[in-house]
Amino acid sequence: MSYRAPVTEMRFLLDHVLGAGRLAETERFAEATGDMVDAILNEAARLAEDVLAPLRRAGDLEPARLENGVVRTSGGFSEAYKAIADGGWVGTAASPEFGGMGLPVSVLSCVNEILASANLALSLCPLLTQGQIEALEHHADDEMKALYLPKLVSGEWTGTMNLTEPQAGSDVGALRSKAEPKDDGSYSVTGTKIFISWGDHDFGGNVCHLVLARLPDGAPGTKGISLFLVPKFIPDADGNPGAANSLKVVSLEHKMGLHGSPTCVMEFDGATGWLVGAPHKGMAAMFTMMNNARLGVGIEGLSQAEAALQDAISYAQERRQGRTPEEGVETIQGHADVRRMLLTMAALTATARAICLDCAFSIDMATATGDAAWDARAAFLTPIAKAFGTDTGCAVSDLGIQVHGGMGFIEETGVAQYFRDVRVTAIYEGTNGIQAMDMVGRKLADGGTAAKALIAEIAATADAAGGALGARLAAAADALGAATDWMLGSELNDRFAGAVPYLRAFALALGGHYLLKGAAEGSDPQREALAAFHVERLLPEVPALCAQARGGAEQLYAWEIAS
């Protein structure tokens, strides 16, 4: 199967469902016209289809390897990364002041989906650099910005994020890495970090590590953590890579998937680094990068759902197996259960894309207008985008294997790679359970204002749709509203116990909202059929999920976990 970027679907969603044309009416994004967006997405599609996609299997079969302390990447990856950098794709949304295009995050999100669908392992490298760019734009001093941002934006240098330690995974406050101040204003950083994606490579340039560590006077827990920029090579007086820093790759992780992406154990042994932002405020600076990454990871999940869906449709159109009840159809696409799987895959993928792009669009509107309501909307959608996007990647790639039957379990077909590659996305950048707890904790701390505003949008779409489909969506909105009220009146651990079903209920209700809005635009039988399937077959889960969400924590602790 040859991947084809869904540019037409992206443009329809942006223009007719989300109303993203409003961005070009703002001063900040005046250049993001329809013609400009078309040109950007079509060019990204050519890069993905012609350069990145042919290397997807090579990255899986020829993993990155560590040789004498040097990371060697999969065949063709270095040249493909150069094509990404030379095309300016790393700096799609970065500030023009430092060489970026300054385009909306919603456009960047489409580009990132296209690149990740074609080759998820390689696309992680520029994605991490984009997160570092945003963190430095917000928190670095002018001198650091001037030195590092042009190199990062151009893709000449790449960036990483170093949070996790063997004893400190999701509990970042348990880290042991330390930083000692030096006389010249720099710091000596010491510690071991694990699970560092693209911690090194053979692309040339410099690898710039953002490292969380504790100063000697740092308080215990997350409040005492600072953030440091620690480059692989210390820049010389001219800003070029100079002497090698005191850091190294100890080993590469042996992973279930993403074999082409080197995941490193990094050792910093008194490495020279520079403080980013204020002392002891490292988590605030890192969360800028993590929030960027959470949306980006949701899009990674979406990307593999799209790729797996395309592959499954192609196979179903070619595979002959048994007699079908559909006149003139001799392939398995005529079987009712295969159609059920394909429609489920398509509906979940469309929902995940809409949530991710709505989140990105909300970020853009907050940036362009300064309106706090848009900012709150983006914040509330972020954990949904991350968790539902990656859950969808796992579910859809799993269904893709099922559509292929026994051939899906055979590695030679390449179908299992989608699932193996995407599975980790539900874990990193905050597990999906943590995303759900954030949603019912911090994101409801406004008294439910942002949540209720979205529920009102869903209810308005239900009223506009009318009929049986509108009634089903209205019932989902009512159930979601009742669950939200329950959350607001409950103890925090009771909320946490029902957080995951609450998030999924919200996502599925939003899917009905987006798909019905899309079906109302014109008279496209395909859109109408997909919307009807989602509302009739997937939306009935919402009341049941909301009932689970209100179950409380007591029952979970009544069962004694046996050793």
Side-chain angles (χ1 to χ4, degrees), residues 542-555:
V542 172
L545 288 165
C546 288
Q548 293 178 44
R550 299 193 302 270
E554 183 178 358
Q555 185 184 56

Side-chain angles (χ1 to χ4, degrees), residues 55-117:
L55 298 173
R56 184 183 76 91
R57 284 294 285 158
D60 190 50
L61 299 174
E62 303 169 17
R65 61 195 187 280
L66 184 64
E67 294 181 349
N68 299 318
V70 178
V71 171
R72 304 296 184 190
T73 55
S74 304
F77 271 36
S78 181
E79 294 79 6
Y81 175 77
K82 186 176 187 303
I84 293 172
D86 289 350
W89 298 109
V90 180
T92 300
S95 171
E97 178 183 357
F98 301 105
M101 298 185 200
L103 289 170
V105 175
S106 48
V107 176
L108 171 66
S109 297
C110 292
V111 169
N112 283 348
E113 181 198 328
I114 291 169
L115 301 186
S117 288

Side-chain angles (χ1 to χ4, degrees), residues 2 32 35 74 93 119 198 271 306 313 342 351 367 407 416 448 450 506:
S2 297
D35 289 344
S74 304
N119 192 322
W198 285 97
E306 174 64 33
I313 289 173
L342 293 175
T351 295
T367 300
M407 296 306 295
F506 224 115

Side-chain angles (χ1 to χ4, degrees), residues 10-58:
M10 291 172 173
R11 293 291 285 125
F12 179 87
L13 180 55
L14 289 171
D15 293 343
H16 299 291
V17 177
L18 303 180
R22 287 173 283 177
L23 289 173
E25 298 170 3
T26 68
E27 181 179 355
R28 174 67 176 79
F29 296 117
E31 294 185 4
T33 62
D35 289 344
M36 167 69 85
V37 174
D38 279 339
I40 291 290
L41 298 188
N42 285 321
E43 192 60 34
R46 279 192 286 273
L47 172 66
E49 294 165 6
D50 297 343
V51 178
L52 303 188
L55 298 173
R56 184 183 76 91
R57 284 294 285 158

Side-chain angles (χ1 to χ4, degrees), residues 234-532:
I234 299 172
D236 62 21
D238 297 321
N240 298 313
N245 211 341
S246 300
L247 57 88
K248 65 179 180 180
V249 179
V250 177
S251 62
L252 298 185
E253 305 288 4
H254 298 280
K255 300 173 297 182
M256 174 179 176
L258 288 178
H259 297 151
S261 169
T263 302
C264 305
V265 176
M266 299 294 304
E267 182 178 289
F268 299 88
D269 185 13
T272 299
W274 288 266
L275 185 67
V276 178
H280 319 309
K281 301 296 183 182
M283 289 304 295
M286 186 60 87
F287 262 111
T288 300
M289 184 173 185
M290 288 179 69
N291 282 331
N292 172 293
R294 283 173 174 171
L295 173 58
V297 172
I299 291 166
E300 289 176 15
L302 161 65
S303 76
Q304 298 311 282
E306 174 64 33
L309 172 61
Q310 290 190 22
D311 221 335
I313 289 173
S314 177
Y315 185 80
Q317 291 173 333
E318 297 172 357
R319 173 67 168 166
R320 294 171 183 264
Q321 190 81 171
R323 294 182 60 183
T324 78
E326 191 172 1
E327 186 69 28
V329 177
E330 298 180 354
T331 60
I332 62 171
Q333 67 176 319
H335 292 298
D337 190 57
V338 172
R339 298 188 73 83
R340 176 194 61 80
M341 289 190 285
L342 293 175
L343 274 163
T344 301
M345 294 169 74
L348 292 174
T349 301
T351 295
R353 179 177 292 115
I355 291 171
C356 288
L357 290 188
D358 198 358
C359 181
F361 171 62
S362 299
I363 293 171
D364 291 331
M365 289 299 290
T367 300
T369 66
D371 187 339
W374 281 111
D375 196 46
R377 191 174 194 275
F380 191 82
L381 284 170
T382 295
I384 306 176
K386 194 280 180 182
F388 187 76
T390 57
D391 280 345
T392 294
C394 294
V396 171
S397 59
D398 183 45
L399 278 172
I401 294 172
Q402 193 72 15
V403 169
H404 280 75
M407 296 306 295
F409 198 67
I410 302 301
E411 283 289 353
E412 283 77 3
T413 63
V415 179
Q417 184 185 343
Y418 298 123
F419 183 83
R420 290 189 289 99
D421 283 355
V422 81
R423 184 60 185 86
V424 72
T425 63
I427 298 171
Y428 62 30
E429 302 310 333
T431 66
N432 288 357
I434 288 175
Q435 302 302 319
M437 289 189 287
D438 174 58
M439 182 181 175
V440 301
R442 291 187 184 91
K443 299 307 189 294
L444 288 181
D446 63 352
T449 300
K452 291 178 180 179
L454 280 168
I455 293 170
E457 290 183 32
I458 296 169
T461 298
D463 288 343
L469 297 183
R472 283 191 180 275
L473 183 58
D478 289 343
L480 204 53
T484 301
D485 289 337
W486 183 91
M487 289 285 176
L488 292 169
S490 299
E491 295 295 325
L492 194 57
N493 204 40
D494 286 326
R495 296 191 202 184
F496 288 168
V500 167
Y502 177 73
L503 185 150
R504 184 168 181 81
F506 224 115
L508 291 176
L510 283 169
H513 159 62
Y514 298 126
L515 291 176
L516 281 180
K517 280 190 73 174
E521 292 290 330
S523 55
D524 185 333
Q526 288 292 90
R527 295 189 193 283
E528 292 171 359
L530 189 61

